[in-house]
Amino acid sequence: MRPSMSLIRSASRVARRTYSTESVPQRKVAVLGAGGGIGQPLALLMKLNPLVSHLSLYDIAGTPGVAADVSHINTRSEVKGYAGEEHLAAALEGCDVVIIPAGVPRKPGMTRDDLFNINAGIVKSLTTAIAKYCPHAIINMISNPVNSIVPIASEVLKKAGVYDEKKLFGVTTLDVVRAKTFYAGKAGVPVAEVNVPVVGGHAGVTILPLFSQATPKANLSNDYIEALTKRTQDGGTEVVEAKAGKGSATLSMAYAGALFADACLKGLNGVPDVVECSFVQSSITELPFFASKVRLGKNGVEEVLDLGPLSDYEKEGLEKLKPELKSSIEKGIKFANQS
Ligand code: NAD
Ligand code: LMR
């Protein structure tokens, strides 16, 4: 049997087994932007997740088709599709986790920040609705530019009086997924065993993989480490260019988004020692938001872990990323408070 088929069959076996176990809590998960390039495969992967009991698929258009399609898969969750703003309340009510890949993707030659003008408004209105209809939900922000979008959401939630810094996450898992893949290739170690923290933010030099902490250890030269760092930082651009105008990473992002949402659900369900990197409110540097390893628990963030020992190259990278990350955060905060 091909590995992908065996994975899907075992996921659905686990789903059936888990469904009959009454101790697994009911969890409603919404995907906002579910009709898009990321949204559709993410909907599929969340449908395969046995921790989800209700899957709510929302977009401005096209979701009934995606929902009807995904709903035929014989796994635990009940699927509902919602199209159009008038259905947003129903899509969100009772949600435990809301995943947001709504917004426009890059084309070649654009930076993530070039998406700000369109995506900031989209995320602001979706977060306003979350504040109203499911204020206690965990939010997984995928829309770019993540470095500004998360601060926007925090301000919107603060204004609504429902901000809980433990529940707002910028999804940076794709950077970790890439760092693991690229490291395994160069180090010649099994990719499934690799761990690499990626810290900072989610754009260019703000993406800082900490290969000095990578396991299994490998004796890579400084040139290799620099090349791996650059490839991880430019991973999104590599896909944007290869897609040549047809968008950015969707399939690998759906995989990464599903991994991160699964970690949040495990944390909510009380599974111990769930640790993932994410862009969160933070005091481990002087910046108010920063991606680092985060321990997830019943209330979202349980602990923001510090950076650990850095190589000289990583220390330099950390200082280099701060001005850009600071200005992206400030841009988001300013937008939320002006508009
Ligand atoms: P896409 O254009 O294929 O899909 C976006 C979807 O959002 C569309 O279906 C659209 O109808 C929907 N949408 C637009 N406005 C909406 C609204 N107000 N409410 C609900 N849905 C709305 O784009 P994509 O490839 O899926 O990418 C989505 C976003 O994710 C982009 O901003 C992209 O840059 C970002 N992204 C982030 C990462 C990451 O690592 N965090 C990785 C890849 C892509
Ligand atoms: C990525 O890292 O793939 C995403 O942020 C999409 C992009 O624009 O690069």
Side-chain angles (χ1 to χ4, degrees), residues 191-259:
V191 69
E193 288 172 23
V194 172
N195 270 310
V196 185
V198 181
V199 303
H202 178 69
V205 296
T206 73
I207 300 167
L208 183 63
L210 302 181
F211 288 113
S212 69
Q213 296 176 21
T215 54
K217 289 267 169 235
N219 223 352
L220 296 178
S221 69
N222 290 346
D223 284 353
Y224 268 17
I225 295 295
E226 282 181 31
L228 280 174
T229 302
K230 180 117 187 47
R231 187 161 181 218
T232 307
Q233 291 173 334
D234 293 343
T237 307
E238 187 178 318
V239 179
V240 168
E241 282 169 3
K243 290 199 173 179
K246 296 227 164 69
S248 54
T250 53
L251 303 174
S252 51
M253 182 58 236
Y255 170 74
L259 270 187

Side-chain angles (χ1 to χ4, degrees), residues 35-38 58-60 101-105 119 142 144 171 202 249-250 253:
I38 296 168
Y58 173 81
D59 205 306
I60 45 177
V104 291
N119 291 352
I142 291 175
N144 269 317
V171 181
H202 178 69
T250 53
M253 182 58 236

Side-chain angles (χ1 to χ4, degrees), residues 65-307:
V66 179
D69 189 354
V70 163
S71 74
H72 290 183
I73 297 170
N74 58 329
T75 53
R76 179 189 185 200
S77 52
E78 182 188 309
V79 182
K80 286 201 178 139
Y82 303 90
E85 226 180 312
E86 65 277 24
H87 301 293
L88 187 50
L92 290 174
E93 263 156 13
C95 272
D96 298 286
V97 177
V98 180
I99 315 172
I100 311 188
V104 291
R106 282 200 283 165
K107 287 188 176 4
M110 293 171 82
T111 65
R112 292 177 182 81
D113 187 58
D114 292 334
L115 306 172
F116 185 97
N117 288 342
I118 298 180
N119 291 352
I122 292 174
V123 166
K124 189 174 176 221
S125 73
L126 292 174
T127 309
T128 304
I130 292 171
K132 195 163 168 196
Y133 300 115
C134 56
H136 304 299
I138 281 182
I139 305 175
N140 291 178
M141 230 20 125
I142 291 175
S143 315
N144 269 317
V146 170
N147 293 353
S148 302
I149 291 290
V150 171
I152 292 173
S154 76
E155 293 300 301
V156 170
L157 295 165
K158 272 182 208 163
K159 276 195 190 153
V162 296
Y163 180 50
D164 179 351
E165 74 274 12
K166 293 186 167 67
K167 295 197 164 169
L168 178 61
F169 299 88
V171 181
T172 57
T173 318
L174 183 52
D175 302 317
V176 177
V177 164
R178 287 176 176 144
K180 286 179 175 179
T181 304
F182 303 156
Y183 177 84
K186 279 274 185 268
V189 294
V191 69
E193 288 172 23
V194 172
N195 270 310
V196 185
V198 181
V199 303
H202 178 69
V205 296
T206 73
I207 300 167
L208 183 63
L210 302 181
F211 288 113
S212 69
Q213 296 176 21
T215 54
K217 289 267 169 235
N219 223 352
L220 296 178
S221 69
N222 290 346
D223 284 353
Y224 268 17
I225 295 295
E226 282 181 31
L228 280 174
T229 302
K230 180 117 187 47
R231 187 161 181 218
T232 307
Q233 291 173 334
D234 293 343
T237 307
E238 187 178 318
V239 179
V240 168
E241 282 169 3
K243 290 199 173 179
K246 296 227 164 69
S248 54
T250 53
L251 303 174
S252 51
M253 182 58 236
Y255 170 74
L259 270 187
F260 189 70
D262 179 65
C264 290
L265 288 164
K266 284 187 176 132
L268 282 179
N269 289 356
V271 174
D273 266 334
V274 182
V275 175
E276 291 291 335
C277 290
S278 182
F279 185 66
V280 294
Q281 182 173 313
S282 173
S283 54
I284 65 168
T285 70
E286 62 272 36
L287 299 176
F289 293 91
F290 201 82
S292 67
K293 286 204 262 184
V294 167
R295 190 180 310 285
L296 297 162
K298 289 188 173 173
N299 298 308
V301 175
E302 213 154 68
E303 186 186 1
V304 179
L305 302 177
D306 68 20
L307 295 176

